[in-house]
Amino acid sequence: MKKFFTIIILFVSNLITAQNFANEITIVQNDINKIITKENERIILKKRPFTIQFQSKFHNSKRKILTD
């Protein structure tokens, strides 16, 4: 039972601490696309060539952010 609670706590802490990217990163290997959307996301690749694709979003530093 103690192991179960430890696993749940680790899972929840991973969800809380992982930040979503403003930009999307795609890893392509053998026509398989793996999209990375969180800062601490882990993927497994084979020892073969792969490509990294960045889908950048426009950032406007002068835009005011409205907060409540």
Side-chain angles (χ1 to χ4, degrees), residues 38-67:
K38 294 183 180 176
E39 180 181 351
N40 299 325
E41 191 166 346
R42 181 178 287 188
I43 63 169
I44 298 173
L45 297 173
K46 297 179 182 177
K47 292 183 179 181
R48 298 195 175 175
F50 63 92
T51 60
I52 301 174
Q53 299 174 350
F54 297 94
Q55 305 295 327
S56 297
K57 296 179 182 177
F58 178 73
H59 174 73
N60 184 356
S61 61
K62 293 182 182 180
R63 180 177 175 190
K64 293 182 182 179
I65 298 173
L66 300 176
T67 59

Side-chain angles (χ1 to χ4, degrees), residues 1-32:
M1 192 68 162
K2 186 176 181 181
K3 289 182 181 180
F4 176 74
F5 286 122
T6 305
I7 292 171
I8 296 297
I9 290 170
L10 289 173
F11 178 73
V12 171
S13 67
N14 186 29
L15 289 176
I16 293 171
T17 58
Q19 299 177 5
N20 289 332
F21 282 133
N23 297 318
E24 194 174 89
I25 299 173
T26 304
I27 308 293
V28 180
Q29 186 178 53
N30 296 335
D31 297 328
I32 298 173

